[in-house]
Amino acid sequence: MAAQKPHMNLAFIGHVDHGKSTLVGRLMFEAGAVSPHIVEQYKKEAEAKGKGSFEFAWVMDSLKEERERGVTIDIGHQRFDTDKYYFTIVDCPGHRDFIKNMITGASQADSAVLVIAAPDGVMAQTREHVFLARTLGINQLIIAINKMDAAKYSEARFKEVKEEVGKLLQMVGYKVAEIPFIPVSAFVGDNVIARGDNLTWYSGPTLLESLNNLKEPEKPTKLPLRLPVQDVYTISGVGTVPVGRVETGIIKKGDKIIFEPANVTGEVKTIEMHHEEAEEALPGDNIGWNVRGIGKKDIKRGDVCGHVDSPPTVAKEFTAQIVVLQHPSAISAGYTPVFHCHTAQIACTLTEIKAKLDPRTGAVKEQNPAFIKAGDAAIVTVMPTKPMVIEKVKEIPQLGRFAIRDMGQTIAAGMCMNITPR
Ligand code: GDP
């Protein structure tokens, strides 16, 4: 069964109009993830209108219409299988809360397909998304150089774009040699699942084969336990039961644990997972855990559970690298938006903008700038208005990233570089 295979969350990123939706649609369609009765229905409608020969375009149009009417099928949340994995497609950047969801774990992508239209090459959002992918901790990428049909299926053009993208990826720190570059046409279907006859000069993997070749994401069991609290319940006859997802490390029955910043300690009495008792829980597991010695009022959402001998870090102040995605004007020292980090939402003041960085290379462009704006990357000093658990991204990446929100928008994404503990 599909559910027994390892699961992967996959994001499609890239410049607007480079073909992300079309490629997802093609993949779904050819992987058999669009249900046969829907395909049958589309076929009939297409035939009735004399368009029977082009089912796929018809499926895409119909999906798009349905999306615009706000109903039923959202290809952005579809699932499909390869031999090895069971994939869920998570939203693309551009969708309202993608960045926040990525950081808070609601839609954490394990890997991403970067789509670049061959006729256009690298564009502004291609750069932005590559930088974001890196900031958000997406370690595995597949590059789909799309619309090869509109570039005369030219190997020379493919090579040009590949080199351009390769430079960009290398600048932000990806290992280019390990990344597959695939010439595709989402429109015609070349190299998505079937090879087709148009790209005979290419002998590498198809998109589907590359997806199948992704490395299984490793569970960070060797890192210290970090288990952010999502909610806290009192269950009669049981006691206080916080619930949450293990981000790193392992929690076992009998463990001595501490919640920070609440600064209370206790002992794990039981662990419940999928309505059954468990001896231990690993990264990715959603659990409820009953704690001896702690009342419901002692802890709340945003607290983080760790072992007493390796407690979560409470920051008085921290330095961070951020990238500003959108802001109506400029951001200067004193700005106090809300930081979303694991399950915590805490107002924090940017007390100092130490340096403006080149978002593509990370090189310092300006020391102590008066302000930063959309498109800028920067090193900033941050002072939470209340105690807050955060970790250095180098030590515990899962707890080192955050989204900055203000006025109902995600303003920036960032990672914690250094901490002055409480
Ligand atoms: P998105 O904004 O990245 O999701 O891009 P879309 O999937 O909406 O595609 C943008 C436009 O490019 C649409 O008109 C598509 O029909 C077209 N398109 C997508 N893939 C291809 C392709 O492989 N070849 C050609 N010629 N056009 C494509």
Side-chain angles (χ1 to χ4, degrees):
M1 285 302 291
Q4 317 276 287
K5 295 179 186 174
H7 178 237
M8 275 266 205
N9 283 317
L10 181 68
F12 278 74
I13 60 177
H15 196 75
V16 62
D17 278 349
H18 278 202
K20 296 179 291 295
S21 318
T22 312
L23 194 55
V24 170
R26 168 65 71 181
L27 199 56
M28 291 299 155
F29 184 57
E30 289 193 9
V34 179
S35 87
H37 83 267
I38 290 178
V39 175
E40 202 49 45
Q41 183 191 328
Y42 290 155
K43 257 192 211 168
K44 277 195 195 126
E45 287 177 34
E47 272 158 22
K49 297 197 179 179
K51 290 181 183 172
S53 61
F54 203 21
E55 294 159 36
F56 171 67
W58 184 260
V59 169
M60 285 307 298
D61 285 351
S62 307
L63 289 172
K64 195 168 164 212
E65 271 168 37
E66 294 194 22
R67 265 211 315 281
E68 279 161 7
R69 280 189 280 120
V71 287
T72 54
I73 306 161
D74 181 355
I75 56 165
H77 285 101
Q78 282 279 6
R79 286 141 194 247
F80 69 97
D81 276 66
T82 63
D83 295 343
K84 187 167 160 198
Y85 293 113
Y86 158 59
F87 284 93
T88 304
I89 295 181
V90 302
D91 267 5
C92 304
H95 289 189
R96 273 188 82 215
D97 278 333
F98 174 78
I99 307 296
K100 192 193 94 181
N101 290 345
M102 273 290 300
I103 288 167
T104 55
S107 65
Q108 176 70 56
D110 303 301
S111 47
V113 176
L114 171 64
V115 182
I116 300 158
D120 304 308
V122 170
M123 303 281 278
Q125 282 170 311
T126 319
R127 293 182 186 283
E128 190 183 315
H129 289 179
V130 165
F131 191 75
L132 263 175
R134 193 74 194 160
T135 307
L136 297 174
I138 298 177
N139 295 323
Q140 298 190 76
L141 288 183
I142 293 170
I143 315 300
I145 299 184
N146 188 32
K147 306 198 187 182
M148 286 304 296
D149 61 303
K152 302 198 187 90
Y153 292 109
S154 157
E155 184 176 11
R157 182 60 193 151
F158 170 76
K159 282 185 171 157
E160 266 171 30
V161 177
K162 179 177 173 182
E163 196 170 318
E164 199 185 3
V165 187
K167 276 188 195 150
L168 171 65
L169 295 172
Q170 198 165 4
M171 272 193 270
V172 304
Y174 281 108
K175 291 184 187 128
V176 179
E178 294 172 7
I179 298 177
F181 289 75
I182 313 166
V184 302
S185 167
F187 214 71
V188 180
D190 303 296
N191 280 343
V192 177
I193 288 182
R195 276 178 189 277
D197 305 322
N198 298 310
L199 292 159
T200 45
W201 47 262
Y202 173 81
S203 57
T206 62
L207 179 60
L208 191 79
E209 285 163 358
S210 299
L211 289 169
N212 206 36
N213 291 342
L214 287 166
K215 284 194 232 104
E216 204 174 321
E218 236 174 81
K219 285 185 194 281
T221 50
K222 298 221 163 64
L223 292 177
L225 172 68
R226 293 295 180 264
L227 172 45
V229 175
Q230 262 158 28
D231 228 323
V232 188
Y233 298 96
T234 310
I235 298 177
S236 58
V238 180
T240 305
V241 181
V243 298
R245 191 185 59 198
V246 181
E247 291 294 341
T248 57
I250 303 175
I251 185 168
K252 292 194 172 86
K253 260 160 77 168
D255 281 357
K256 301 259 185 303
I257 52 168
I258 179 164
F259 291 81
E260 292 285 23
N263 195 240
V264 293
T265 56
E267 188 186 310
V268 180
K269 242 158 71 180
T270 55
I271 297 172
E272 184 177 313
M273 185 162 33
H274 309 302
H275 307 289
E276 277 174 27
E277 250 195 76
E279 287 301 310
E280 60 171 33
L282 305 177
D285 290 341
N286 282 296
I287 62 168
W289 68 113
N290 175 221
V291 194
R292 201 193 309 268
I294 291 181
K296 182 178 191 301
K297 293 218 175 78
D298 296 335
I299 53 174
K300 60 176 190 304
R301 182 182 171 88
D303 283 331
V304 179
C305 170
H307 288 130
V308 285
D309 57 0
S310 178
T313 309
V314 181
K316 187 168 81 183
E317 194 182 78
F318 60 93
T319 52
Q321 181 172 325
I322 64 170
V323 50
V324 184
L325 304 168
Q326 52 183 344
H327 193 275
S329 56
I331 293 172
S332 48
Y335 183 47
T336 308
V338 177
F339 278 52
H340 292 242
C341 184
H342 51 87
T343 57
Q345 299 183 14
I346 294 174
C348 299
T349 305
L350 304 187
T351 50
E352 192 190 352
I353 303 172
K354 290 161 88 94
K356 191 151 101 179
L357 309 177
D358 184 327
R360 300 192 294 277
T361 62
V364 174
K365 276 207 309 204
E366 190 184 341
Q367 295 284 359
N368 302 306
F371 61 87
I372 47 175
K373 52 188 177 36
D376 287 339
I379 303 283
V380 296
T381 308
V382 182
M383 178 91 78
T385 58
K386 304 190 284 196
M388 168 180 179
V389 167
I390 191 165
E391 305 287 351
K392 289 183 208 168
V393 79
K394 282 226 165 80
E395 289 171 4
I396 309 182
Q398 292 76 3
L399 276 268
R401 299 196 171 89
F402 55 83
I404 300 179
R405 308 248 314 159
D406 190 19
M407 302 169 291
Q409 287 184 325
T410 300
I411 300 293
M415 43 195 174
C416 172
M417 313 305 279
N418 235 317
I419 301 175
T420 309
R422 176 175 66 179

